[in-house]
Amino acid sequence: MSRDTIVSWKTFALFLLFPPLVILAIIFFPLTLIVLFWLYYRGKEDAMVEEHTESSG
């Protein structure tokens, strides 16, 4: 059975979509890590402040 095209439209779509997804992953992965570390340290600081106010009160 012969085919009309060299590659299927699904392969072509993946080829077109892959570079933007890689760019988004490169941008969002470090951003996600930064947000997670920021939330961790903010929570840790809040817990320390809360612990200090309970012990002094």
Side-chain angles (χ1 to χ4, degrees):
M1 213 154 90
S2 65
R3 296 181 175 240
D4 316 313
T5 58
I6 298 171
V7 295
S8 71
W9 65 270
K10 290 179 185 177
T11 306
F12 186 67
L14 284 175
F15 180 76
L16 288 179
L17 290 175
F18 189 68
L21 292 177
V22 169
I23 291 168
L24 286 176
I26 289 170
I27 292 170
F28 282 117
F29 180 69
L31 188 64
T32 302
L33 291 179
I34 290 168
V35 168
L36 288 175
F37 280 120
W38 177 70
L39 289 172
Y40 170 76
Y41 284 114
R42 191 182 73 167
K44 189 175 178 182
E45 186 177 309
D46 287 349
M48 290 174 119
V49 168
E50 187 176 323
E51 182 182 325
H52 179 66
T53 56
E54 287 176 359
S55 63
S56 65

Coordinates of all heavy atoms in Angstrom, one line a residue:
M1 N 0.8 -1.2 0.0 CA 0.0 0.0 0.0 C 0.9 1.3 0.0 O 1.7 1.4 0.8 CB -0.9 0.0 1.2 CG -2.2 0.6 1.0 SD -3.5 -0.1 2.1 CE -3.3 1.0 3.5
S2 N 0.7 2.1 -0.9 CA 1.5 3.3 -1.0 C 1.0 4.4 -0.2 O -0.2 4.5 0.0 CB 1.7 3.8 -2.5 OG 0.4 4.2 -2.9
R3 N 1.8 5.3 0.2 CA 1.4 6.5 1.0 C 1.6 7.7 0.2 O 2.5 7.8 -0.6 CB 2.2 6.6 2.3 CG 2.0 5.4 3.2 CD 2.8 5.5 4.5 NE 2.5 4.5 5.4 CZ 1.9 4.6 6.6 NH1 1.7 5.8 7.0 NH2 1.7 3.6 7.4
D4 N 0.8 8.8 0.5 CA 0.9 10.0 -0.2 C 2.1 10.9 0.3 O 2.6 11.7 -0.4 CB -0.4 10.9 -0.1 CG -1.6 10.1 -0.3 OD1 -1.7 9.3 -1.3 OD2 -2.5 10.2 0.5
T5 N 2.3 10.8 1.6 CA 3.3 11.7 2.2 C 4.5 10.9 2.8 O 4.4 9.7 3.0 CB 2.6 12.4 3.4 OG1 2.2 11.5 4.3 CG2 1.5 13.3 2.9
I6 N 5.6 11.6 3.0 CA 6.8 11.0 3.6 C 6.5 10.6 5.1 O 6.9 9.5 5.5 CB 8.0 11.9 3.4 CG1 8.2 12.2 2.0 CG2 9.2 11.4 4.1 CD1 9.2 13.3 1.7
V7 N 5.9 11.5 5.8 CA 5.6 11.3 7.2 C 4.1 11.5 7.5 O 3.5 12.2 6.7 CB 6.4 12.2 8.2 CG1 7.9 11.9 8.1 CG2 6.2 13.7 7.9
S8 N 3.6 10.9 8.5 CA 2.2 11.1 8.8 C 2.0 12.5 9.4 O 2.9 13.1 9.9 CB 1.7 10.0 9.8 OG 2.3 10.2 11.0
W9 N 0.8 12.9 9.5 CA 0.5 14.2 10.0 C 0.7 14.2 11.5 O 1.0 15.3 12.1 CB -1.0 14.6 9.7 CG -2.0 13.8 10.4 CD1 -2.6 12.7 9.8 CD2 -2.6 14.0 11.6 NE1 -3.5 12.1 10.7 CE2 -3.5 12.9 11.9 CE3 -2.4 14.9 12.6 CZ2 -4.3 12.8 13.0 CZ3 -3.2 14.8 13.8 CH2 -4.1 13.8 14.0
K10 N 0.6 13.1 12.2 CA 0.8 13.0 13.6 C 2.3 13.3 13.9 O 2.7 14.0 14.9 CB 0.4 11.7 14.2 CG -1.1 11.5 14.2 CD -1.4 10.1 14.8 CE -2.9 9.9 14.7 NZ -3.3 8.5 15.1
T11 N 3.2 12.6 13.1 CA 4.6 12.8 13.3 C 5.0 14.3 13.0 O 5.8 14.9 13.8 CB 5.4 11.9 12.4 OG1 5.0 10.6 12.6 CG2 6.9 12.0 12.6
F12 N 4.4 14.9 12.0 CA 4.7 16.3 11.7 C 4.2 17.2 12.8 O 4.9 18.1 13.2 CB 4.0 16.6 10.4 CG 4.3 18.0 9.9 CD1 5.6 18.3 9.5 CD2 3.3 19.0 9.8 CE1 5.9 19.6 9.0 CE2 3.6 20.2 9.4 CZ 4.9 20.6 9.0
A13 N 3.0 16.9 13.4 CA 2.5 17.7 14.5 C 3.4 17.6 15.7 O 3.7 18.6 16.4 CB 1.1 17.2 14.8
L14 N 3.9 16.4 16.0 CA 4.8 16.3 17.1 C 6.1 17.1 16.9 O 6.6 17.7 17.8 CB 5.1 14.8 17.4 CG 4.0 14.0 18.1 CD1 4.4 12.5 18.1 CD2 3.8 14.5 19.5
F15 N 6.6 17.0 15.7 CA 7.8 17.7 15.3 C 7.6 19.2 15.5 O 8.5 19.9 15.9 CB 8.2 17.4 13.9 CG 9.4 18.1 13.4 CD1 10.6 17.7 13.8 CD2 9.3 19.2 12.5 CE1 11.8 18.3 13.4 CE2 10.5 19.9 12.1 CZ 11.7 19.4 12.5
L16 N 6.4 19.7 15.1 CA 6.1 21.2 15.3 C 5.9 21.6 16.8 O 6.3 22.6 17.2 CB 4.9 21.6 14.5 CG 5.1 21.6 13.0 CD1 3.8 22.0 12.3 CD2 6.2 22.6 12.6
L17 N 5.3 20.7 17.5 CA 4.9 21.0 18.9 C 6.1 20.8 19.9 O 6.1 21.4 20.9 CB 3.7 20.1 19.4 CG 2.4 20.5 18.7 CD1 1.3 19.5 19.2 CD2 2.0 21.9 19.1
F18 N 7.0 19.9 19.6 CA 8.1 19.5 20.5 C 9.0 20.7 20.9 O 9.2 20.9 22.1 CB 8.9 18.4 20.0 CG 9.8 17.8 21.0 CD1 9.4 17.1 22.1 CD2 11.2 18.0 20.8 CE1 10.2 16.6 23.0 CE2 12.1 17.4 21.7 CZ 11.6 16.8 22.8
P19 N 9.5 21.5 20.0 CA 10.3 22.6 20.4 C 9.7 23.6 21.3 O 10.3 24.0 22.3 CB 10.7 23.3 19.0 CG 10.6 22.2 18.0 CD 9.5 21.4 18.5
P20 N 8.4 24.1 21.1 CA 7.8 25.0 22.1 C 7.6 24.3 23.4 O 7.8 25.0 24.5 CB 6.4 25.3 21.5 CG 6.6 25.0 20.0 CD 7.6 23.9 19.9
L21 N 7.3 23.0 23.5 CA 7.2 22.3 24.8 C 8.5 22.3 25.5 O 8.6 22.4 26.7 CB 6.6 20.9 24.5 CG 5.2 20.8 24.1 CD1 4.8 19.4 23.8 CD2 4.3 21.5 25.1
V22 N 9.6 22.1 24.8 CA 10.9 22.0 25.4 C 11.3 23.4 25.9 O 11.8 23.5 27.1 CB 12.0 21.6 24.3 CG1 13.4 21.8 24.9 CG2 11.8 20.1 24.0
I23 N 11.0 24.5 25.2 CA 11.2 25.8 25.7 C 10.4 26.1 27.0 O 10.9 26.6 27.9 CB 10.9 26.8 24.6 CG1 11.9 26.7 23.5 CG2 10.9 28.3 25.1 CD1 11.5 27.5 22.2
L24 N 9.1 25.7 27.0 CA 8.3 25.9 28.2 C 8.9 25.1 29.4 O 8.9 25.6 30.5 CB 6.9 25.4 27.9 CG 6.1 26.4 27.0 CD1 4.7 25.8 26.8 CD2 5.9 27.7 27.7
A25 N 9.3 23.9 29.1 CA 9.9 23.0 30.2 C 11.1 23.7 30.7 O 11.3 23.7 32.0 CB 10.2 21.6 29.7
I26 N 12.0 24.2 29.9 CA 13.2 24.9 30.3 C 12.9 26.1 31.2 O 13.6 26.4 32.1 CB 14.1 25.2 29.1 CG1 14.7 24.0 28.5 CG2 15.2 26.2 29.5 CD1 15.4 24.2 27.2
I27 N 11.8 26.8 30.8 CA 11.5 28.0 31.6 C 10.8 27.6 32.9 O 11.1 28.1 34.0 CB 10.5 28.9 30.7 CG1 11.3 29.5 29.6 CG2 9.9 30.0 31.6 CD1 10.4 30.2 28.5
F28 N 9.8 26.7 32.8 CA 9.0 26.4 34.0 C 9.7 25.5 35.0 O 9.3 25.5 36.2 CB 7.7 25.8 33.6 CG 6.7 26.9 33.1 CD1 6.2 26.8 31.8 CD2 6.3 27.9 33.9 CE1 5.4 27.8 31.3 CE2 5.4 28.9 33.5 CZ 5.0 28.8 32.2
F29 N 10.6 24.7 34.6 CA 11.2 23.8 35.6 C 12.0 24.6 36.7 O 11.8 24.4 37.9 CB 12.1 22.7 35.0 CG 12.8 21.8 35.9 CD1 12.1 20.9 36.6 CD2 14.2 21.9 36.2 CE1 12.7 20.0 37.5 CE2 14.8 21.0 37.0 CZ 14.0 20.1 37.7
P30 N 12.9 25.5 36.3 CA 13.6 26.3 37.4 C 12.6 27.2 38.1 O 12.7 27.4 39.3 CB 14.6 27.1 36.6 CG 14.7 26.5 35.3 CD 13.5 25.8 35.0
L31 N 11.6 27.7 37.4 CA 10.6 28.5 38.1 C 9.8 27.7 39.2 O 9.6 28.2 40.3 CB 9.7 29.1 37.1 CG 8.7 30.2 37.5 CD1 9.4 31.4 38.0 CD2 7.7 30.5 36.4
T32 N 9.5 26.5 38.8 CA 8.8 25.6 39.8 C 9.7 25.4 41.0 O 9.2 25.4 42.1 CB 8.4 24.3 39.1 OG1 7.6 24.6 38.0 CG2 7.7 23.4 40.1
L33 N 11.0 25.1 40.8 CA 11.9 24.9 41.9 C 12.0 26.1 42.8 O 12.0 26.0 44.0 CB 13.3 24.5 41.4 CG 13.4 23.1 40.7 CD1 14.8 22.9 40.2 CD2 13.0 22.0 41.7
I34 N 12.1 27.3 42.2 CA 12.2 28.5 42.9 C 10.9 28.7 43.8 O 11.0 29.1 45.0 CB 12.4 29.7 42.0 CG1 13.8 29.7 41.4 CG2 12.2 31.0 42.7 CD1 14.0 30.6 40.2
V35 N 9.8 28.5 43.2 CA 8.5 28.6 44.0 C 8.5 27.6 45.1 O 8.1 28.0 46.2 CB 7.3 28.5 43.0 CG1 6.0 28.4 43.8 CG2 7.2 29.7 42.1
L36 N 8.9 26.4 44.9 CA 8.8 25.4 45.9 C 9.8 25.7 47.1 O 9.4 25.6 48.3 CB 9.2 24.0 45.4 CG 8.1 23.4 44.5 CD1 8.6 22.0 43.9 CD2 6.9 23.1 45.3
F37 N 11.0 26.2 46.8 CA 11.9 26.6 47.8 C 11.4 27.8 48.6 O 11.5 27.9 49.8 CB 13.3 26.9 47.2 CG 14.1 25.6 47.0 CD1 14.5 25.3 45.7 CD2 14.4 24.8 48.0 CE1 15.3 24.2 45.4 CE2 15.2 23.6 47.7 CZ 15.6 23.3 46.5
W38 N 10.8 28.7 47.8 CA 10.3 29.9 48.5 C 9.2 29.6 49.5 O 9.1 30.1 50.6 CB 9.8 30.9 47.4 CG 9.1 32.1 48.0 CD1 9.8 33.2 48.7 CD2 7.8 32.5 48.0 NE1 8.9 34.1 49.1 CE2 7.6 33.7 48.7 CE3 6.6 31.8 47.5 CZ2 6.4 34.3 48.8 CZ3 5.4 32.4 47.7 CH2 5.3 33.7 48.3
L39 N 8.3 28.7 49.0 CA 7.2 28.2 49.9 C 7.7 27.5 51.1 O 7.3 27.7 52.3 CB 6.2 27.3 49.2 CG 5.3 28.1 48.1 CD1 4.5 27.0 47.3 CD2 4.4 29.0 48.8
Y40 N 8.8 26.7 50.9 CA 9.4 25.9 52.0 C 10.0 26.9 53.1 O 9.7 26.7 54.3 CB 10.4 25.0 51.5 CG 11.3 24.3 52.6 CD1 10.8 23.3 53.3 CD2 12.6 24.8 52.8 CE1 11.5 22.7 54.3 CE2 13.3 24.2 53.8 CZ 12.8 23.2 54.6 OH 13.5 22.6 55.5
Y41 N 10.8 27.8 52.6 CA 11.4 28.7 53.6 C 10.4 29.7 54.2 O 10.6 30.0 55.4 CB 12.5 29.5 52.9 CG 13.8 28.7 52.7 CD1 14.2 28.3 51.4 CD2 14.5 28.2 53.8 CE1 15.3 27.5 51.2 CE2 15.6 27.4 53.6 CZ 16.0 27.1 52.3 OH 17.1 26.3 52.2
R42 N 9.4 30.1 53.5 CA 8.4 30.9 54.1 C 7.6 30.2 55.2 O 7.4 30.7 56.3 CB 7.4 31.4 53.0 CG 6.5 32.5 53.5 CD 5.5 33.0 52.5 NE 4.5 31.9 52.3 CZ 3.4 32.1 51.6 NH1 3.1 33.2 51.0 NH2 2.5 31.1 51.5
G43 N 7.3 28.9 54.9 CA 6.6 28.1 55.9 C 7.5 27.8 57.1 O 7.0 27.8 58.3
K44 N 8.8 27.6 56.9 CA 9.7 27.3 57.9 C 9.8 28.6 58.8 O 9.8 28.5 60.1 CB 11.1 27.0 57.3 CG 12.1 26.5 58.3 CD 13.3 26.0 57.6 CE 14.4 25.6 58.6 NZ 15.6 25.2 57.9
E45 N 9.9 29.7 58.2 CA 10.0 31.0 59.0 C 8.8 31.3 59.7 O 8.8 31.7 60.9 CB 10.3 32.1 58.0 CG 10.6 33.5 58.7 CD 10.9 34.5 57.7 OE1 11.8 34.3 56.8 OE2 10.3 35.6 57.7
D46 N 7.6 31.0 59.1 CA 6.3 31.2 59.8 C 6.2 30.3 61.0 O 5.7 30.6 62.1 CB 5.1 31.0 58.9 CG 5.0 32.1 57.9 OD1 5.6 33.2 58.1 OD2 4.2 32.0 57.0
A47 N 6.7 29.0 60.9 CA 6.6 28.1 62.0 C 7.6 28.5 63.1 O 7.2 28.4 64.3 CB 7.0 26.7 61.5
M48 N 8.7 29.1 62.8 CA 9.6 29.5 63.8 C 9.0 30.7 64.6 O 9.1 30.8 65.8 CB 11.0 29.9 63.2 CG 11.8 28.7 62.7 SD 13.2 29.3 61.9 CE 14.5 28.6 62.9
V49 N 8.4 31.6 63.8 CA 7.8 32.8 64.5 C 6.7 32.4 65.4 O 6.5 32.8 66.5 CB 7.3 33.8 63.4 CG1 6.4 34.9 64.0 CG2 8.5 34.4 62.7
E50 N 5.9 31.4 64.9 CA 4.7 30.9 65.7 C 5.2 30.2 66.9 O 4.7 30.4 68.0 CB 3.9 30.0 64.8 CG 2.6 29.5 65.5 CD 1.7 28.7 64.6 OE1 1.7 29.0 63.4 OE2 1.1 27.7 65.1
E51 N 6.3 29.4 66.8 CA 6.8 28.7 67.9 C 7.4 29.7 69.0 O 7.2 29.5 70.2 CB 7.9 27.7 67.4 CG 8.6 26.9 68.5 CD 9.7 26.0 68.0 OE1 9.5 25.5 66.9 OE2 10.6 25.8 68.8
H52 N 8.0 30.7 68.5 CA 8.6 31.7 69.4 C 7.5 32.5 70.1 O 7.7 32.8 71.3 CB 9.5 32.7 68.6 CG 10.1 33.8 69.4 ND1 11.1 33.5 70.3 CD2 9.9 35.1 69.4 CE1 11.4 34.6 70.9 NE2 10.7 35.6 70.4
T53 N 6.4 32.9 69.4 CA 5.4 33.6 70.1 C 4.6 32.7 71.1 O 4.2 33.2 72.1 CB 4.4 34.2 69.1 OG1 3.9 33.1 68.3 CG2 5.0 35.2 68.2
E54 N 4.5 31.4 70.9 CA 3.9 30.5 71.8 C 4.7 30.3 73.1 O 4.2 30.3 74.2 CB 3.6 29.2 71.2 CG 2.5 29.2 70.2 CD 2.3 27.8 69.5 OE1 3.0 26.9 69.8 OE2 1.4 27.7 68.6
S55 N 6.0 30.2 72.9 CA 6.9 30.0 74.0 C 7.1 31.2 74.9 O 7.3 31.1 76.1 CB 8.3 29.4 73.6 OG 8.9 30.4 72.8
S56 N 7.0 32.4 74.3 CA 7.2 33.6 75.1 C 5.9 34.1 75.7 O 5.9 34.9 76.6 CB 7.8 34.7 74.2 OG 6.8 35.1 73.2
G57 N 4.8 33.6 75.2 CA 3.5 34.1 75.7 C 3.0 33.3 76.8 O 2.9 33.2 77.9

